[in-house]
Amino acid sequence: MKFSQLANPRILEQPTYQPGRPIEEVAKEQGIDPGDICKLASNENPWGASKAARDAARDALDDVHRYPDGSSLVLREKLAKHHKLSPDQFIIGNGSNEIIELIGHVFLNEEDEVLFGEYAFIVYKLVSLLMGAKPVCAPMPGLRHDLQQMKKLITERTKLVFLPSPNNPTGTSNTEDEIFSFVRDLPDHIIFCLDEAYAEYLEHSPDLRTLLQEGKKVMGLRTFSKIYGLAGLRIGYGYGSVELIKLLQQARQPFNANAIALAAATAALDDQAWVEECRQKNNAGMQQLQDACDQLNLPWIPSDANFLLIKIGDGQKAFHELQALGVIARPMPQGLEEYIRISIGTTQENEIAISAIKKVLPILKNPA
Ligand SMILES: *Cc1c(COP(=O)(O)O)cnc(C)c1O
């Protein structure tokens, strides 16, 4: 008997997440020195984590024979101060992706529907399918979440709504007003999850506390992988009502967040000056990339995050040609085939990406 015959049938059909390609792998495949590869594929912070966070991670190594604090209390207390909530309103995860999965474990059954936009972050769909629930995709005219359209797709079976704002891969976001009126109209059997992975890049991120005070079933998801520059450590968090967080805590593994990640995240949160510096550098890099696209007559989708969706023509081909030049970008799924997503890098990385795009454009136009 094959293992696959023993497996949960759902697993056999489960699509897998396609991550940005790693530097080492591309370097080896293309015969390029890893130092010459420019990875702009995973929306990482190109300036790295704050020095305080890196020092804290190094210090934590000395105690690595001990289990981490299973309740992540120190970080939750720090987050409580940062967000002006209480520590029992936070759950720490092995990346915010883990929290998305926990939400699935706690709330989803086979008869449930999960609503999100057709070009929303792909993990909502993956988790819905894994739990046997039904993903329902709302149209996104102009590649933006249209909350009025989404509202029309709500049924008795809708259990969860995910809204990433800013969204990955489109970079588009929704205003606080749009989000508040959408949530205030939701029936009581629906939980609204605002995925705020890129919230720190916004001038003003919606204040979910207002909705929490009104007793709405909302939660926020945040990560240390993006502006905080700790993607490799895997740490993120969710926040919401005490009642909701308690249920999520019940579903997680005892030591889901590791000690090094906890120490680094705690220090990173304290260094808001670094966050502000990265935000400003990102704005400049965004301008640099947009200006270059304008000069090349390449349309792009206005982005509120640290990446840009560029309409390049044949996205797959562009991805491969750029990769041969040492630039790792991100090809897009069905519906967005004409686009390529490029993360904002350092000024120099952006320069390299721009000249690679220039070289690739004629090849895209004239299929050899
Ligand atoms: C990157 C990203 C995440 C965060 O992933 P982690 O698991 O915290 O690394 C969550 N949501 C969106 C929309 C993202 O782009």
mmCIF file of all heavy atoms in Angstrom, residues 35-76:
data_model
loop_
_atom_site.group_PDB
_atom_site.id
_atom_site.type_symbol
_atom_site.label_atom_id
_atom_site.label_comp_id
_atom_site.label_asym_id
_atom_site.label_seq_id
_atom_site.Cartn_x
_atom_site.Cartn_y
_atom_site.Cartn_z
ATOM 1 N N GLY A 35 27.047 36.543 -3.972
ATOM 2 C CA GLY A 35 27.197 37.963 -3.629
ATOM 3 C C GLY A 35 26.702 38.898 -4.725
ATOM 4 O O GLY A 35 26.452 40.076 -4.476
ATOM 5 N N ASP A 36 26.575 38.368 -5.928
ATOM 6 C CA ASP A 36 26.124 39.200 -7.050
ATOM 7 C C ASP A 36 24.640 39.038 -7.329
ATOM 8 O O ASP A 36 24.110 39.605 -8.282
ATOM 9 C CB ASP A 36 26.911 38.857 -8.324
ATOM 10 C CG ASP A 36 28.363 39.296 -8.201
ATOM 11 O OD1 ASP A 36 28.628 40.248 -7.440
ATOM 12 O OD2 ASP A 36 29.224 38.670 -8.849
ATOM 13 N N ILE A 37 23.972 38.225 -6.518
ATOM 14 C CA ILE A 37 22.534 38.038 -6.706
ATOM 15 C C ILE A 37 21.783 39.121 -5.947
ATOM 16 O O ILE A 37 22.135 39.487 -4.835
ATOM 17 C CB ILE A 37 22.081 36.654 -6.188
ATOM 18 C CG1 ILE A 37 22.768 35.535 -6.971
ATOM 19 C CG2 ILE A 37 20.562 36.537 -6.211
ATOM 20 C CD1 ILE A 37 22.033 35.037 -8.174
ATOM 21 N N CYS A 38 20.756 39.613 -6.564
ATOM 22 C CA CYS A 38 19.939 40.656 -5.968
ATOM 23 C C CYS A 38 18.550 40.065 -5.743
ATOM 24 O O CYS A 38 17.787 39.856 -6.676
ATOM 25 C CB CYS A 38 19.923 41.759 -7.014
ATOM 26 S SG CYS A 38 19.323 43.298 -6.527
ATOM 27 N N LYS A 39 18.233 39.726 -4.471
ATOM 28 C CA LYS A 39 16.943 39.094 -4.205
ATOM 29 C C LYS A 39 15.891 40.136 -3.842
ATOM 30 O O LYS A 39 15.959 40.757 -2.776
ATOM 31 C CB LYS A 39 17.066 38.056 -3.074
ATOM 32 C CG LYS A 39 15.766 37.269 -2.886
ATOM 33 C CD LYS A 39 15.760 36.370 -1.663
ATOM 34 C CE LYS A 39 14.391 35.698 -1.509
ATOM 35 N NZ LYS A 39 14.155 35.217 -0.136
ATOM 36 N N LEU A 40 14.947 40.312 -4.737
ATOM 37 C CA LEU A 40 13.860 41.262 -4.498
ATOM 38 C C LEU A 40 12.538 40.520 -4.667
ATOM 39 O O LEU A 40 11.634 40.963 -5.363
ATOM 40 C CB LEU A 40 13.981 42.434 -5.488
ATOM 41 C CG LEU A 40 15.290 43.236 -5.392
ATOM 42 C CD1 LEU A 40 15.402 44.241 -6.524
ATOM 43 C CD2 LEU A 40 15.398 43.957 -4.040
ATOM 44 N N ALA A 41 12.449 39.364 -3.993
ATOM 45 C CA ALA A 41 11.341 38.445 -4.258
ATOM 46 C C ALA A 41 10.432 38.171 -3.062
ATOM 47 O O ALA A 41 9.384 37.551 -3.208
ATOM 48 C CB ALA A 41 11.892 37.118 -4.775
ATOM 49 N N SER A 42 10.817 38.588 -1.864
ATOM 50 C CA SER A 42 10.039 38.180 -0.691
ATOM 51 C C SER A 42 9.687 39.323 0.251
ATOM 52 O O SER A 42 9.335 39.087 1.411
ATOM 53 C CB SER A 42 10.793 37.088 0.079
ATOM 54 O OG SER A 42 11.053 35.989 -0.768
ATOM 55 N N ASN A 43 9.789 40.542 -0.245
ATOM 56 C CA ASN A 43 9.406 41.721 0.547
ATOM 57 C C ASN A 43 10.129 41.810 1.888
ATOM 58 O O ASN A 43 9.566 42.271 2.888
ATOM 59 C CB ASN A 43 7.888 41.772 0.752
ATOM 60 C CG ASN A 43 7.142 41.701 -0.560
ATOM 61 O OD1 ASN A 43 7.706 42.000 -1.600
ATOM 62 N ND2 ASN A 43 5.883 41.307 -0.524
ATOM 63 N N GLU A 44 11.374 41.348 1.878
ATOM 64 C CA GLU A 44 12.202 41.444 3.084
ATOM 65 C C GLU A 44 12.725 42.866 3.233
ATOM 66 O O GLU A 44 12.732 43.642 2.276
ATOM 67 C CB GLU A 44 13.383 40.458 2.958
ATOM 68 C CG GLU A 44 12.932 39.010 2.936
ATOM 69 C CD GLU A 44 13.772 38.099 2.058
ATOM 70 O OE1 GLU A 44 14.520 38.610 1.193
ATOM 71 O OE2 GLU A 44 13.684 36.875 2.216
ATOM 72 N N ASN A 45 13.178 43.208 4.422
ATOM 73 C CA ASN A 45 13.764 44.523 4.661
ATOM 74 C C ASN A 45 15.225 44.486 4.198
ATOM 75 O O ASN A 45 16.037 43.800 4.798
ATOM 76 C CB ASN A 45 13.672 44.862 6.149
ATOM 77 C CG ASN A 45 14.271 46.232 6.466
ATOM 78 O OD1 ASN A 45 15.113 46.741 5.728
ATOM 79 N ND2 ASN A 45 13.828 46.819 7.569
ATOM 80 N N PRO A 46 15.558 45.229 3.123
ATOM 81 C CA PRO A 46 16.911 45.123 2.559
ATOM 82 C C PRO A 46 17.977 45.746 3.463
ATOM 83 O O PRO A 46 19.167 45.508 3.258
ATOM 84 C CB PRO A 46 16.799 45.886 1.236
ATOM 85 C CG PRO A 46 15.708 46.873 1.461
ATOM 86 C CD PRO A 46 14.726 46.202 2.392
ATOM 87 N N TRP A 47 17.565 46.534 4.455
ATOM 88 C CA TRP A 47 18.533 47.161 5.367
ATOM 89 C C TRP A 47 18.729 46.316 6.625
ATOM 90 O O TRP A 47 19.491 46.663 7.503
ATOM 91 C CB TRP A 47 18.083 48.586 5.718
ATOM 92 C CG TRP A 47 17.939 49.395 4.462
ATOM 93 C CD1 TRP A 47 18.951 49.960 3.730
ATOM 94 C CD2 TRP A 47 16.726 49.683 3.756
ATOM 95 N NE1 TRP A 47 18.434 50.560 2.612
ATOM 96 C CE2 TRP A 47 17.077 50.421 2.600
ATOM 97 C CE3 TRP A 47 15.382 49.385 3.978
ATOM 98 C CZ2 TRP A 47 16.124 50.858 1.671
ATOM 99 C CZ3 TRP A 47 14.430 49.826 3.053
ATOM 100 C CH2 TRP A 47 14.800 50.551 1.930
ATOM 101 N N GLY A 48 18.026 45.214 6.695
ATOM 102 C CA GLY A 48 18.202 44.280 7.810
ATOM 103 C C GLY A 48 17.448 44.675 9.060
ATOM 104 O O GLY A 48 16.672 45.635 9.075
ATOM 105 N N ALA A 49 17.672 43.914 10.126
ATOM 106 C CA ALA A 49 17.016 44.189 11.407
ATOM 107 C C ALA A 49 17.809 45.255 12.155
ATOM 108 O O ALA A 49 18.989 45.485 11.866
ATOM 109 C CB ALA A 49 16.948 42.911 12.235
ATOM 110 N N SER A 50 17.169 45.880 13.130
ATOM 111 C CA SER A 50 17.842 46.873 13.967
ATOM 112 C C SER A 50 19.012 46.209 14.691
ATOM 113 O O SER A 50 18.980 45.020 15.005
ATOM 114 C CB SER A 50 16.844 47.455 14.968
ATOM 115 O OG SER A 50 17.191 47.154 16.298
ATOM 116 N N LYS A 51 20.063 46.979 14.947
ATOM 117 C CA LYS A 51 21.241 46.417 15.623
ATOM 118 C C LYS A 51 20.850 45.874 16.996
ATOM 119 O O LYS A 51 21.328 44.827 17.431
ATOM 120 C CB LYS A 51 22.333 47.481 15.755
ATOM 121 C CG LYS A 51 23.603 46.930 16.396
ATOM 122 C CD LYS A 51 24.723 47.952 16.487
ATOM 123 C CE LYS A 51 25.970 47.326 17.115
ATOM 124 N NZ LYS A 51 25.727 46.723 18.446
ATOM 125 N N ALA A 52 19.944 46.582 17.659
ATOM 126 C CA ALA A 52 19.501 46.137 18.988
ATOM 127 C C ALA A 52 18.876 44.742 18.903
ATOM 128 O O ALA A 52 19.097 43.887 19.771
ATOM 129 C CB ALA A 52 18.487 47.141 19.551
ATOM 130 N N ALA A 53 18.119 44.499 17.849
ATOM 131 C CA ALA A 53 17.467 43.189 17.680
ATOM 132 C C ALA A 53 18.507 42.109 17.423
ATOM 133 O O ALA A 53 18.423 41.001 17.966
ATOM 134 C CB ALA A 53 16.460 43.262 16.533
ATOM 135 N N ARG A 54 19.492 42.427 16.591
ATOM 136 C CA ARG A 54 20.531 41.429 16.288
ATOM 137 C C ARG A 54 21.366 41.126 17.529
ATOM 138 O O ARG A 54 21.711 39.969 17.796
ATOM 139 C CB ARG A 54 21.404 41.922 15.126
ATOM 140 C CG ARG A 54 20.670 41.808 13.781
ATOM 141 C CD ARG A 54 21.488 42.351 12.632
ATOM 142 N NE ARG A 54 21.514 43.815 12.634
ATOM 143 C CZ ARG A 54 22.617 44.553 12.519
ATOM 144 N NH1 ARG A 54 23.789 43.983 12.395
ATOM 145 N NH2 ARG A 54 22.530 45.868 12.514
ATOM 146 N N ASP A 55 21.664 42.164 18.326
ATOM 147 C CA ASP A 55 22.419 41.947 19.566
ATOM 148 C C ASP A 55 21.618 41.072 20.527
ATOM 149 O O ASP A 55 22.157 40.169 21.170
ATOM 150 C CB ASP A 55 22.744 43.291 20.242
ATOM 151 C CG ASP A 55 23.827 44.052 19.482
ATOM 152 O OD1 ASP A 55 24.511 43.419 18.633
ATOM 153 O OD2 ASP A 55 23.981 45.274 19.719
ATOM 154 N N ALA A 56 20.321 41.344 20.626
ATOM 155 C CA ALA A 56 19.462 40.572 21.538
ATOM 156 C C ALA A 56 19.411 39.107 21.106
ATOM 157 O O ALA A 56 19.426 38.193 21.946
ATOM 158 C CB ALA A 56 18.060 41.172 21.572
ATOM 159 N N ALA A 57 19.369 38.883 19.799
ATOM 160 C CA ALA A 57 19.339 37.508 19.281
ATOM 161 C C ALA A 57 20.636 36.791 19.657
ATOM 162 O O ALA A 57 20.618 35.639 20.103
ATOM 163 C CB ALA A 57 19.154 37.520 17.767
ATOM 164 N N ARG A 58 21.752 37.496 19.507
ATOM 165 C CA ARG A 58 23.067 36.905 19.847
ATOM 166 C C ARG A 58 23.134 36.581 21.353
ATOM 167 O O ARG A 58 23.584 35.509 21.729
ATOM 168 C CB ARG A 58 24.174 37.878 19.464
ATOM 169 C CG ARG A 58 25.163 37.284 18.477
ATOM 170 C CD ARG A 58 26.174 38.316 18.021
ATOM 171 N NE ARG A 58 25.870 38.792 16.690
ATOM 172 C CZ ARG A 58 25.591 40.054 16.359
ATOM 173 N NH1 ARG A 58 25.565 41.000 17.285
ATOM 174 N NH2 ARG A 58 25.341 40.367 15.125
ATOM 175 N N ASP A 59 22.675 37.496 22.165
ATOM 176 C CA ASP A 59 22.696 37.266 23.620
ATOM 177 C C ASP A 59 21.828 36.068 23.992
ATOM 178 O O ASP A 59 22.166 35.307 24.899
ATOM 179 C CB ASP A 59 22.182 38.511 24.374
ATOM 180 C CG ASP A 59 23.194 39.653 24.321
ATOM 181 O OD1 ASP A 59 24.361 39.390 23.933
ATOM 182 O OD2 ASP A 59 22.808 40.796 24.646
ATOM 183 N N ALA A 60 20.723 35.917 23.308
ATOM 184 C CA ALA A 60 19.794 34.823 23.621
ATOM 185 C C ALA A 60 20.422 33.458 23.349
ATOM 186 O O ALA A 60 20.007 32.448 23.932
ATOM 187 C CB ALA A 60 18.499 34.987 22.825
ATOM 188 N N LEU A 61 21.431 33.433 22.488
ATOM 189 C CA LEU A 61 22.110 32.167 22.179
ATOM 190 C C LEU A 61 22.709 31.520 23.430
ATOM 191 O O LEU A 61 22.780 30.296 23.538
ATOM 192 C CB LEU A 61 23.239 32.399 21.168
ATOM 193 C CG LEU A 61 22.873 32.370 19.695
ATOM 194 C CD1 LEU A 61 24.118 32.645 18.862
ATOM 195 C CD2 LEU A 61 22.278 31.026 19.315
ATOM 196 N N ASP A 62 23.155 32.350 24.376
ATOM 197 C CA ASP A 62 23.789 31.817 25.589
ATOM 198 C C ASP A 62 22.841 30.944 26.407
ATOM 199 O O ASP A 62 23.278 30.095 27.172
ATOM 200 C CB ASP A 62 24.303 32.969 26.476
ATOM 201 C CG ASP A 62 25.491 33.670 25.835
ATOM 202 O OD1 ASP A 62 26.113 33.059 24.932
ATOM 203 O OD2 ASP A 62 25.787 34.824 26.221
ATOM 204 N N ASP A 63 21.555 31.173 26.271
ATOM 205 C CA ASP A 63 20.569 30.417 27.057
ATOM 206 C C ASP A 63 19.750 29.460 26.206
ATOM 207 O O ASP A 63 18.640 29.065 26.579
ATOM 208 C CB ASP A 63 19.613 31.387 27.772
ATOM 209 C CG ASP A 63 20.311 32.092 28.917
ATOM 210 O OD1 ASP A 63 21.080 31.424 29.639
ATOM 211 O OD2 ASP A 63 20.096 33.312 29.068
ATOM 212 N N VAL A 64 20.341 29.082 25.086
ATOM 213 C CA VAL A 64 19.545 28.346 24.111
ATOM 214 C C VAL A 64 19.281 26.887 24.529
ATOM 215 O O VAL A 64 18.467 26.195 23.923
ATOM 216 C CB VAL A 64 20.203 28.486 22.713
ATOM 217 C CG1 VAL A 64 21.249 27.433 22.463
ATOM 218 C CG2 VAL A 64 19.162 28.526 21.613
ATOM 219 N N HIS A 65 19.922 26.455 25.599
ATOM 220 C CA HIS A 65 19.640 25.118 26.136
ATOM 221 C C HIS A 65 18.337 25.116 26.952
ATOM 222 O O HIS A 65 17.841 24.064 27.324
ATOM 223 C CB HIS A 65 20.803 24.633 27.009
ATOM 224 C CG HIS A 65 21.171 25.581 28.117
ATOM 225 N ND1 HIS A 65 21.684 26.840 27.881
ATOM 226 C CD2 HIS A 65 21.063 25.468 29.454
ATOM 227 C CE1 HIS A 65 21.892 27.450 29.036
ATOM 228 N NE2 HIS A 65 21.517 26.643 30.004
ATOM 229 N N ARG A 66 17.833 26.303 27.247
ATOM 230 C CA ARG A 66 16.548 26.404 27.973
ATOM 231 C C ARG A 66 15.388 26.510 26.997
ATOM 232 O O ARG A 66 15.516 27.162 25.956
ATOM 233 C CB ARG A 66 16.517 27.675 28.842
ATOM 234 C CG ARG A 66 17.643 27.795 29.843
ATOM 235 C CD ARG A 66 17.400 26.905 31.039
ATOM 236 N NE ARG A 66 18.523 27.012 31.970
ATOM 237 C CZ ARG A 66 18.851 26.042 32.817
ATOM 238 N NH1 ARG A 66 18.160 24.913 32.864
ATOM 239 N NH2 ARG A 66 19.868 26.201 33.630
ATOM 240 N N TYR A 67 14.246 25.959 27.368
ATOM 241 C CA TYR A 67 13.033 26.198 26.594
ATOM 242 C C TYR A 67 12.693 27.684 26.658
ATOM 243 O O TYR A 67 12.991 28.347 27.649
ATOM 244 C CB TYR A 67 11.857 25.411 27.185
ATOM 245 C CG TYR A 67 11.794 23.987 26.697
ATOM 246 C CD1 TYR A 67 12.249 22.938 27.491
ATOM 247 C CD2 TYR A 67 11.278 23.696 25.444
ATOM 248 C CE1 TYR A 67 12.193 21.625 27.056
ATOM 249 C CE2 TYR A 67 11.218 22.388 24.997
ATOM 250 C CZ TYR A 67 11.675 21.356 25.801
ATOM 251 O OH TYR A 67 11.611 20.071 25.351
ATOM 252 N N PRO A 68 12.049 28.188 25.600
ATOM 253 C CA PRO A 68 11.605 29.592 25.667
ATOM 254 C C PRO A 68 10.466 29.744 26.677
ATOM 255 O O PRO A 68 9.904 28.751 27.131
ATOM 256 C CB PRO A 68 11.113 29.879 24.257
ATOM 257 C CG PRO A 68 10.857 28.567 23.618
ATOM 258 C CD PRO A 68 11.685 27.544 24.321
ATOM 259 N N ASP A 69 10.148 31.000 27.002
ATOM 260 C CA ASP A 69 8.962 31.266 27.811
ATOM 261 C C ASP A 69 7.750 30.886 26.963
ATOM 262 O O ASP A 69 7.449 31.548 25.963
ATOM 263 C CB ASP A 69 8.928 32.749 28.189
ATOM 264 C CG ASP A 69 7.563 33.165 28.729
ATOM 265 O OD1 ASP A 69 6.741 32.272 29.041
ATOM 266 O OD2 ASP A 69 7.318 34.379 28.825
ATOM 267 N N GLY A 70 7.082 29.812 27.353
ATOM 268 C CA GLY A 70 5.971 29.283 26.553
ATOM 269 C C GLY A 70 4.813 30.242 26.411
ATOM 270 O O GLY A 70 4.015 30.123 25.473
ATOM 271 N N SER A 71 4.712 31.210 27.294
ATOM 272 C CA SER A 71 3.595 32.150 27.196
ATOM 273 C C SER A 71 4.004 33.450 26.488
ATOM 274 O O SER A 71 3.181 34.342 26.303
ATOM 275 C CB SER A 71 3.055 32.472 28.591
ATOM 276 O OG SER A 71 3.959 33.324 29.263
ATOM 277 N N SER A 72 5.275 33.553 26.121
ATOM 278 C CA SER A 72 5.798 34.757 25.432
ATOM 279 C C SER A 72 5.418 36.042 26.166
ATOM 280 O O SER A 72 5.120 37.063 25.535
ATOM 281 C CB SER A 72 5.268 34.833 23.985
ATOM 282 O OG SER A 72 5.556 33.651 23.282
ATOM 283 N N LEU A 73 5.447 35.983 27.492
ATOM 284 C CA LEU A 73 4.912 37.087 28.290
ATOM 285 C C LEU A 73 5.643 38.416 28.069
ATOM 286 O O LEU A 73 5.005 39.459 27.928
ATOM 287 C CB LEU A 73 4.926 36.727 29.788
ATOM 288 C CG LEU A 73 4.329 37.805 30.695
ATOM 289 C CD1 LEU A 73 2.853 38.035 30.362
ATOM 290 C CD2 LEU A 73 4.495 37.450 32.170
ATOM 291 N N VAL A 74 6.983 38.362 28.021
ATOM 292 C CA VAL A 74 7.743 39.621 27.898
ATOM 293 C C VAL A 74 7.363 40.353 26.605
ATOM 294 O O VAL A 74 7.100 41.559 26.612
ATOM 295 C CB VAL A 74 9.272 39.347 27.952
ATOM 296 C CG1 VAL A 74 10.055 40.634 27.733
ATOM 297 C CG2 VAL A 74 9.638 38.702 29.285
ATOM 298 N N LEU A 75 7.292 39.604 25.519
ATOM 299 C CA LEU A 75 6.924 40.228 24.240
ATOM 300 C C LEU A 75 5.469 40.699 24.268
ATOM 301 O O LEU A 75 5.147 41.792 23.787
ATOM 302 C CB LEU A 75 7.163 39.266 23.071
ATOM 303 C CG LEU A 75 6.801 39.815 21.690
ATOM 304 C CD1 LEU A 75 7.513 41.136 21.391
ATOM 305 C CD2 LEU A 75 7.135 38.794 20.594
ATOM 306 N N ARG A 76 4.584 39.903 24.856
ATOM 307 C CA ARG A 76 3.173 40.323 24.896
ATOM 308 C C ARG A 76 2.996 41.591 25.720
ATOM 309 O O ARG A 76 2.184 42.468 25.384
ATOM 310 C CB ARG A 76 2.283 39.187 25.426
ATOM 311 C CG ARG A 76 2.061 38.066 24.369
ATOM 312 C CD ARG A 76 1.022 37.053 24.780
ATOM 313 N NE ARG A 76 1.390 36.335 25.990
ATOM 314 C CZ ARG A 76 0.771 36.466 27.161
ATOM 315 N NH1 ARG A 76 -0.279 37.266 27.280
ATOM 316 N NH2 ARG A 76 1.184 35.778 28.204
#
